[in-house]
Amino acid sequence: LNVLLVCLCFPMALWAEYRDLEPLLKELDAVVDRKDAYTLPKENELSELRMRLKNVKDARRKYELCDKLFTGYLHYQADSALAYVERKQELLPLLNDPLLEQELIINRAEVMGVMGMYSWAEQLLSQVTPDALSPELLGYYYRTMRANYGWFADYLVHKELENMYQQKAHIYRDSIMLTTKPGIDHDIVKAEKLMVEGEMEKSLELLHRLSENNPNLRQQAFINYTLAEAYGLKGDIDNQMH
């Protein structure tokens, strides 16, 4: 039955490629079977942050810990991430920092995007005043705008609207590059920009070079994802699946 299901799901043209990838698929299954080994350190890290938040008295330090918890939960438990945005909101009157109000708008928009609520995220981001942001916060705003427009484009089935949102996302790639320091993060966006502009070989060359330059786990995830997209656009299904 399993073999029949695989045959039905994979076109015959991909069967040889699937067989070549079979060892990697088995490795992936083994990783999924060991998921507790990966989630336990994450849970321990979050538990330690919650304990530190419970014991700290200083409002600024509380805000910083809530921000770490927001980041930690964002792609793990989005509803918990949103709860820590609200905790940050409660601390605002004690901090007298107008920029934090702008940061919280972007935080909420980022969570909405992760949850798939792209229209809500877009509405929130329209409330941000870019000219009033610090350089660091401006970069965060650009990254959130780019991500939301990219997700929106992937979600839409209307080709004209999809192209419009893809173009908006592309514009923000330039803005991100202008506000990101030279290094791996900057070059990942550059590789993505090259890919969207049809420069597949240049994009792939840059991404493979970045993989050899000791990226951290988050950076490697972005590199791998962009590699898959580039190979897919190139029509190299084997490497895309890899």
Side-chain angles (χ1 to χ4, degrees), residues 31-229:
V31 169
V32 174
D33 288 341
R34 300 195 309 273
K35 62 182 180 182
D36 288 346
Y38 302 103
T39 58
L40 184 59
K42 179 74 171 180
E43 290 288 353
N44 289 341
E45 176 190 353
L46 292 169
S47 178
E48 181 185 349
L49 286 170
R50 291 195 303 268
M51 184 62 67
R52 288 164 61 189
L53 176 62
K54 184 178 179 180
N55 294 327
V56 76
K57 302 298 182 184
D58 179 72
R60 171 64 68 171
R61 187 64 185 136
K62 278 181 178 287
Y63 186 94
E64 291 170 353
L65 287 168
C66 285
D67 189 60
K68 288 181 181 294
L69 282 158
F70 160 74
T71 302
Y73 275 115
L74 181 60
H75 294 284
Y76 189 58
Q77 293 176 4
D79 55 343
S80 295
L82 190 57
Y84 282 103
V85 174
E86 299 311 319
R87 293 282 299 273
K88 290 168 70 177
Q89 180 74 53
E90 293 169 4
L91 292 165
L92 277 191
L94 303 174
L95 298 175
N96 191 29
D97 187 342
L99 274 181
L100 297 182
E101 188 67 56
Q102 299 282 299
E103 179 182 83
L104 286 172
I105 295 173
I106 305 172
N107 284 166
R108 287 193 180 90
E110 191 174 19
V111 179
M112 293 297 106
V114 169
M115 289 179 165
M117 304 168 74
Y118 311 125
S119 293
W120 284 29
E122 186 177 25
Q123 183 178 354
L124 282 166
L125 290 166
S126 70
Q127 300 172 22
V128 175
T129 307
D131 292 343
L133 303 180
S134 65
E136 182 179 0
L137 202 52
L138 185 62
Y140 175 38
Y141 166 74
Y142 287 149
R143 291 190 298 274
T144 308
M145 290 288 284
R146 177 262 168 271
N148 195 61
Y149 282 138
W151 289 331
F152 220 146
D154 291 340
Y155 167 78
L156 291 167
V157 294
H158 191 289
K159 195 64 180 177
E160 186 175 337
L161 287 175
E162 178 189 348
N163 291 338
M164 180 187 75
Y165 278 102
Q166 284 178 342
Q167 184 59 37
K168 287 185 175 184
H170 189 50
I171 290 170
Y172 279 100
R173 289 188 187 96
D174 290 327
S175 300
I176 293 168
M177 290 174 66
L178 289 172
T179 55
T180 304
K181 296 177 181 178
I184 293 178
D185 287 334
H186 177 279
D187 287 345
I188 291 172
V189 180
K190 182 180 179 180
E192 190 181 66
K193 177 178 166 64
L194 288 168
M195 177 189 69
V196 171
E197 293 174 348
E199 300 281 357
M200 299 304 171
E201 295 303 329
K202 290 182 179 178
S203 177
L204 289 168
E205 180 184 351
L206 177 54
L207 289 165
H208 282 296
R209 190 163 68 245
L210 293 174
S211 288
E212 298 169 357
N213 199 27
N214 298 318
N216 61 37
L217 188 60
R218 177 189 63 81
Q219 292 167 334
Q220 188 64 62
F222 280 111
I223 291 169
N224 289 347
Y225 182 84
T226 311
L227 274 169
E229 285 197 314

